[in-house]
Amino acid sequence: MIMKKIAFVLVALMVSVAANAQFEKGKTYIGASLSSLNLSYCGSEKGHLALQAKGGYLFMDNLMATGQVGYEKMADVPYALSLGVGARYYIVQNGLFLGAGANYVHCDEFDDFRPTVQLGYAFFLSRTVTVEPEIYYEQSFKDHKEYSRVGFRIGFGIYL
């Protein structure tokens, strides 16, 4: 029993040390994520699929500026394209993060501005590759009831 506890502490320490090295000033980030698949709620949609590509730069330890482009397929709208900027703050050195940003969404039927917040975790598969589950909320300025969304997304990231 004691050996299991020691092994757990050693593994947790190694993951923490590996994560610590990745959130330093000067690192770059490349990522992609998939959201929804009926894991989100929005008043106007019966189905939704979104793909995002992200890039970022850690301009301070634990603080990253991000940019993203995205594509959304919704049941009631043919498609939507988005462009956004944001920031991510790593709360603890093991990968827990808070994010905030703003997205401009364009489709044939409307344009929208959507501030967003996220809570996620960067789980390191290797020294540079992560799986990043996150919970997010997007506030629509076009129509809060119909287009605001709360959901779950899963992403992959590379820290260089």
Side-chain angles (χ1 to χ4, degrees):
M1 188 67 150
I2 292 176
M3 289 301 287
K4 286 183 181 180
K5 289 181 182 179
I6 292 172
F8 176 75
V9 169
L10 288 175
V11 168
L13 196 61
M14 286 188 295
V15 168
S16 178
V17 168
N20 183 25
Q22 300 308 322
F23 307 132
E24 295 174 340
K25 180 180 177 180
K27 297 281 185 177
T28 56
Y29 168 80
I30 301 168
S33 61
L34 175 68
S35 61
S36 294
L37 296 172
N38 292 328
L39 295 175
S40 69
Y41 175 75
C42 178
S44 69
E45 299 172 5
K46 294 175 179 60
H48 174 259
L49 173 69
L51 301 168
Q52 294 92 18
K54 293 182 182 181
Y57 181 76
L58 281 126
F59 61 92
M60 291 177 50
D61 286 353
N62 301 323
L63 193 56
M64 180 191 306
T66 61
Q68 83 171 32
V69 295
Y71 171 83
E72 295 180 54
K73 176 64 180 116
M74 299 174 261
D76 59 342
V77 177
Y79 70 92
L81 300 174
S82 65
L83 184 62
V85 296
R88 186 185 277 188
Y89 176 71
Y90 293 91
I91 300 169
V92 290
Q93 288 297 317
N94 66 359
L96 185 65
F97 64 84
L98 286 175
N103 295 324
Y104 169 74
V105 179
H106 170 76
C107 73
D108 289 339
E109 298 178 12
F110 63 87
D111 291 330
D112 197 2
F113 175 72
R114 296 182 187 169
T116 181
V117 293
Q118 309 94 26
L119 173 64
Y121 185 78
F123 177 76
F124 281 83
L125 298 176
S126 71
R127 187 157 175 75
T128 58
V129 177
T130 59
V131 172
E132 299 179 346
E134 67 182 29
I135 297 170
Y136 68 94
Y137 175 72
E138 288 181 345
Q139 170 65 49
S140 171
F141 274 88
K142 177 182 175 13
D143 187 339
H144 170 72
K145 183 179 176 185
E146 295 297 317
Y147 295 110
S148 293
R149 174 180 295 117
V150 62
F152 174 79
R153 75 172 54 108
I154 187 85
F156 292 94
I158 300 171
Y159 291 80
L160 305 170

